[in-house]
Amino acid sequence: MQRPLGAQIAHMLKSRGVDTVFGIPGVHNIEMYRGMEQAGLRHVLARHEQGAGFMADGYTRATGRPGVCTLITGPGVLNALTALGQSYSDSVPVLALASCLDETAARRGQLHQMRDQRAAAGTVCAWSEVARDAATAYALIDRALGEFGSARPRPRAIHLPIATLGAPADAPPAAPARAARPEATHAQVTAVVDAVLAAERPLFVFGGGALGGADVVPDLLRQTGAASFTTYAARGIVPPGHPAHFGAFLARPDSARVAAQADLVIALGTELSEVDLWRDALGHDCPTIRVDIDPEILTACGPRDMPILGDAGALMRALAIAIPARTEDRAPCWDLDEIAHTRARWRAEVMAERPGVVETAEALRDAMPDDAMIWSDMTQFAYGATEVWDMPRPGHWHHPYGFGTLGYALPAAIGGAVARPGLPTVAILGDYGLQYTLPELGTAVELGLPLPILVWDNAQLGEIRDAMVAAQIAPTAVVARNPDFLALARAYGAHATQPDTLDALKAALVQAFTADRPTLIRMTPAML
């Protein structure tokens, strides 16, 4: 049957597996809302389009399914670009559906008019296209959903003219078949097995793109005798306390010394980027096997390296089958006592650099359920915690790594909590970052989410202050007058508390998981 295109799109999304949409209705995009209720889509009302984009990002990270946000023309799109940029940086498949003006070449002075909305969104999305008819809109939606599962899953933006959204349209076609991600060939798997078994000191580096093979990681380390690191995004892929694991300490300068001891590095699903290493290179001088679904990453390989375009998790599972067919488990190739000593030394460095963070993080870790999913912000507390906090399972701590956006944690955790009803979800952020997206607390209260919001309040931009001091710059503009966070939270209708000891902090966290609404928990160095 014919419906206005906006309503048809709602039904199409539902038929393609989408169940939740995040956004704010506006005069230009109201046709997108005509069919939502009838189609059975849940709409979560954000307080700002940036929040809607972050919520869609958090929903996606929690479920693995594409998050969808609806945006209005012009300023609505621009407000969401920060969130889409974060999704692009962290390979998160978010679909942004935005209204746009019907014509901009001849007319000026229209509501929400900007010079080139499509191009603006294209700066932070894998692609950004305008659909001027129903057939194009359907094709672009299916193209986006198909590419999310077969290529690097970055955000896509589709812009829909206002008149087109309201015009009658035929129903969308049936869902097309979707391609799978590329996988390593049999010859490539054999070559990797040969190289790993020939190495005397192999070193695995697991990235966020390797989470699909998490179940075989203990087998791989046992079969190969290798040691391992993880990037921040891959924390939990190696079981906590594994004796051959150096942890998520790649950013420690001394990790370059460790990498230099390897005679083969196997980098799985990681860019080894600046925000992974905080230096130019890993530090090794040996061949590297690099496995990634993004061909651009593989162009950085050297003449001795082995680039493999394919899904890292699938290759890991293939190795776990192929290696036992060739040989028995190998003895550890690295000194396990030295690994333990090195990890302890790096932990001590974090304690010295960021006083109070390690003790507080470890108290929270002890009280945190194993299935808790955590979203953190750009805050000094998270920088330290992500190094020392061993996660019990992978894919359960999400951080705005590459783009580095302040204000990410609260709305993204809301999206995650919506995606995981009945399961523990946590936001961790700093006193400054909270103020970027604080109004989204209203959404969490409306939804009745039992969301602990842990705020590290040191009353300043502590990381920037330390950077200024290290650069011999007099600390400037790093102290701002904070509001009464507890009163603000209560004004929104949330619970609020300020523990005075680490034991009280743990008790507050446990209580927040069973509350009838979110709880803001203010953490200060005075707890220690």
Side-chain angles (χ1 to χ4, degrees):
M1 61 180 293
Q2 279 202 332
R3 298 185 180 97
L5 177 59
Q8 294 285 29
I9 288 174
H11 285 268
M12 179 183 185
L13 292 173
K14 183 66 175 181
S15 72
R16 301 310 195 249
V18 175
D19 57 19
T20 304
V21 175
F22 303 88
I24 304 174
V27 67
H28 279 184
N29 70 351
I30 56 174
E31 285 295 338
M32 293 185 190
Y33 289 76
R34 184 184 294 276
M36 282 190 187
E37 184 175 348
Q38 185 185 40
L41 289 179
R42 180 186 189 184
H43 182 271
V44 175
L45 178 62
R47 298 305 191 262
H48 189 280
E49 288 87 2
Q50 183 181 106
F54 283 145
M55 289 177 194
D57 177 292
Y59 175 92
T60 298
R61 297 194 200 211
T63 63
R65 301 193 302 272
V68 178
C69 59
T70 55
L71 310 170
I72 62 161
T73 316
V77 173
L78 293 183
N79 285 343
L81 292 191
T82 296
L84 295 174
Q86 189 60 63
S87 298
Y88 183 91
S89 177
D90 288 351
S91 302
V92 180
V94 170
L95 176 59
L97 298 174
S99 58
C100 67
L101 295 174
D102 301 314
E103 194 284 319
T104 59
R107 296 182 61 191
R108 292 290 182 268
Q110 301 178 77
L111 178 65
H112 299 330
Q113 187 167 11
M114 57 186 295
R115 292 185 62 191
D116 195 335
Q117 176 177 310
R118 181 203 61 78
T123 61
V124 290
C125 292
W127 50 257
S128 172
E129 301 291 353
V130 178
R132 300 196 177 279
D133 55 59
T136 303
Y138 300 152
L140 288 174
I141 290 171
D142 275 331
R143 175 184 165 191
L145 297 177
E147 290 175 354
F148 287 155
S150 60
R152 188 168 184 175
R154 284 169 157 165
R156 275 75 171 162
I158 300 174
H159 308 268
L160 300 143
I162 300 165
T164 302
L165 276 171
D170 292 331
R178 294 179 184 171
R181 289 181 178 174
E183 295 188 5
T185 65
H186 176 74
Q188 289 173 323
V189 173
T190 301
V192 173
V193 172
D194 290 343
V196 172
L197 294 182
E200 295 182 359
R201 291 174 72 82
L203 178 66
F204 283 100
V205 180
F206 298 106
L211 298 188
D215 55 322
V216 301
V217 166
D219 295 334
L220 282 179
L221 296 180
R222 186 187 69 252
Q223 293 164 357
T224 62
S228 63
F229 279 97
T230 67
T231 65
Y232 299 131
R235 289 160 55 236
I237 197 171
V238 181
H242 194 288
H245 185 44
F246 283 99
F249 287 108
L250 281 171
R252 294 285 109 192
D254 186 49
S255 70
R257 174 190 60 81
V258 174
Q261 298 175 36
D263 62 349
L264 177 69
V265 169
I266 309 98
L268 298 163
T270 173
E271 293 184 61
L272 295 177
S273 66
E274 177 185 67
V275 296
D276 294 320
L277 306 174
W278 293 109
R279 57 181 182 273
D280 293 336
L282 181 62
H284 63 300
D285 184 22
C286 64
T288 304
I289 299 171
R290 295 200 69 168
V291 185
D292 208 285
I293 61 170
D294 187 346
E296 180 181 347
I297 302 303
L298 301 178
T299 61
C301 289
R304 296 188 297 161
D305 297 339
M306 184 189 304
I308 297 177
L309 180 64
D311 179 71
L315 175 67
M316 291 158 63
R317 290 191 297 273
L319 293 179
I321 295 171
I323 292 175
R326 288 272 300 272
T327 184
E328 296 181 354
D329 294 349
R330 300 176 70 185
C333 300
W334 296 70
D335 185 330
L336 301 184
D337 289 338
E338 176 61 23
I339 292 176
H341 174 76
T342 301
R343 282 194 56 138
R345 180 160 46 81
W346 290 341
R347 177 184 175 278
E349 289 178 4
V350 179
M351 290 186 73
E353 293 166 0
R354 298 188 169 97
V357 167
V358 172
E359 298 92 328
T360 306
E362 291 179 346
L364 289 171
R365 182 194 62 197
D366 292 343
M368 196 74 66
D370 281 354
D371 59 347
M373 192 169 280
I374 300 169
W375 275 263
S376 59
D377 215 287
M378 298 297 288
T379 171
Q380 194 172 53
F381 182 85
Y383 304 151
T386 49
E387 287 194 276
V388 301
W389 188 323
D390 283 337
M391 293 297 291
R393 57 186 69 185
H396 275 61
W397 187 306
H398 307 287
H399 184 81
Y401 296 105
F403 210 40
T405 53
L406 274 167
Y408 169 79
L410 176 57
I414 291 171
V418 167
R420 308 173 73 241
L423 295 174
T425 304
V426 183
I428 297 178
L429 57 167
D431 55 299
Y432 215 83
L434 173 63
Q435 296 179 74
Y436 271 58
T437 51
L438 177 65
E440 304 305 342
L441 182 57
T443 298
V445 171
E446 273 182 357
L447 297 173
L449 300 176
L451 176 68
I453 303 166
L454 297 160
V455 181
W456 180 254
D457 186 358
N458 57 10
Q460 58 189 314
L461 292 167
E463 191 74 7
I464 308 307
R465 175 208 60 203
D466 293 348
M468 286 181 168
V469 171
Q472 297 185 336
I473 299 171
T476 304
V478 293
V479 177
R481 184 184 184 280
N482 279 341
D484 184 335
F485 290 120
L486 303 183
L488 268 177
R490 293 179 182 126
Y492 273 102
H495 298 299
T497 185
Q498 182 173 328
D500 55 4
T501 66
L502 292 181
D503 285 340
L505 172 63
K506 292 192 285 187
L509 176 65
V510 171
Q511 183 176 359
F513 283 127
T514 59
D516 59 348
R517 67 192 79 168
T519 303
L520 188 145
I521 303 173
R522 182 171 178 255
M523 306 183 296
T524 70
M527 295 184 305
L528 301 172

